[in-house]
Amino acid sequence: MDVTSTVITIVVIVLLVAVSGALIALNALKHLRWKVNEAWRQITVELTRRHDLIPNLIAAVSEYEPDATEVYQALEAARSKAMSVGSTPAEQTAQENELSARLADLFELAERHRDLRALAGFQQLQAELTNTEDRIAAGRRYYNANARELNTRRASFPSSLLASLFHYRRAELFETTDPAVRATPNMEFRAERDARDAELRQWQENRQRSEEGSN
């Protein structure tokens, strides 16, 4: 084999390796983008379920607090904003944080009424909301993990060249820096929690006295 043929062979091999590597990198970007989009769709499903629960919660609480119109209107406004079509993850984060704050105001009203808290229908709404919040939190973790992986691969060579060429944009994260909002909202009412804690303390004190007496 002469020198020219050898050079051509080497060039062909290098090109094949380069093309194969580019295809592998492009497929990886494509797969990660699909996972990010799918994870976001799952989050929006849970967010929609959360939004759908709010009118029933307002209706239940307003039966006991009919004059708290400002609280209900603020919650409805936050809900309408959070339901905006086409919001990016960053925009949705801000909207859901505001909605969480307004929901906390609603539950502050509900906390005043033991009869309301004892209603099976209200307890069911509370449980559904808590379960939905848990699923949103799980979905957020899964989405952000894939978004970070996509962003990391997008920033590395040669994926960075392909990402720019094929318009693979940086994925926005769905998160918040506010610790009060980051945590899943606690739907357990303070009065009930305090009563439970008091019972626990009493049990511990009785147990301690019993152990001291046996000694």
Side-chain angles (χ1 to χ4, degrees):
M1 181 179 294
D2 57 25
V3 175
T4 302
S5 299
T6 301
V7 171
I8 292 175
T9 301
I10 293 173
V11 170
V12 169
I13 292 173
V14 170
L15 288 175
L16 288 175
V17 171
V19 170
S20 298
L23 289 175
I24 292 172
L26 186 60
N27 285 335
L29 285 171
K30 182 178 180 181
H31 180 66
L32 281 172
R33 185 168 65 177
W34 177 85
K35 289 176 69 175
V36 167
N37 291 338
E38 182 63 24
W40 181 246
R41 280 193 290 270
Q42 291 301 316
I43 288 176
T44 58
V45 169
E46 299 302 334
L47 291 177
T48 298
R49 183 177 287 108
R50 183 194 200 206
H51 302 156
D52 290 345
L53 289 170
I54 290 175
N56 290 334
L57 287 166
I58 292 176
V61 177
S62 62
E63 290 289 327
Y64 290 79
E65 290 279 351
D67 298 327
T69 54
E70 291 184 3
V71 173
Y72 308 140
Q73 290 172 355
L75 179 54
E76 284 283 11
R79 174 179 178 264
S80 296
K81 191 172 182 180
M83 294 174 66
S84 301
V85 177
S87 295
T88 66
E91 293 169 343
Q92 196 73 51
T93 292
Q95 294 163 1
E96 294 300 327
N97 290 347
E98 175 64 20
L99 184 60
S100 294
R102 302 288 73 80
L103 269 171
D105 294 338
L106 182 74
F107 278 92
E108 285 289 338
L109 295 178
E111 192 172 329
R112 304 173 185 174
H113 302 279
R114 183 178 295 274
D115 291 345
L116 170 61
R117 302 199 307 268
L119 291 176
F122 188 76
Q123 291 176 354
Q124 182 179 356
L125 287 173
Q126 177 185 337
E128 289 180 7
L129 181 60
T130 300
N131 291 336
T132 300
E133 298 287 359
D134 289 342
R135 289 192 294 269
I136 291 172
R140 179 188 289 114
R141 290 190 294 270
Y142 179 72
Y143 168 84
N144 285 339
N146 285 294
R148 290 190 179 97
E149 186 177 355
L150 173 60
N151 292 340
T152 299
R153 183 174 291 274
R154 179 183 174 277
S156 61
F157 182 85
S159 297
S160 56
L161 297 179
L162 296 170
S164 177
L165 181 62
F166 291 96
H167 307 292
Y168 280 78
R169 292 177 295 179
R170 180 177 177 82
E172 292 184 351
L173 300 182
F174 182 51
E175 61 181 2
T176 177
T177 56
D178 185 352
V181 177
R182 184 186 296 275
T184 300
N186 183 6
M187 299 305 170
E188 182 183 17
F189 296 103
R190 284 199 299 268
E192 295 172 353
R193 184 183 62 236
D194 292 345
R196 182 200 62 194
D197 291 344
E199 290 179 0
L200 178 59
R201 286 193 300 270
Q202 185 64 45
W203 177 82
Q204 291 172 336
E205 291 173 359
N206 292 340
R207 181 179 179 181
Q208 184 177 2
R209 284 196 294 267
S210 175
E211 291 176 349
E212 291 173 353
S214 63
N215 293 332

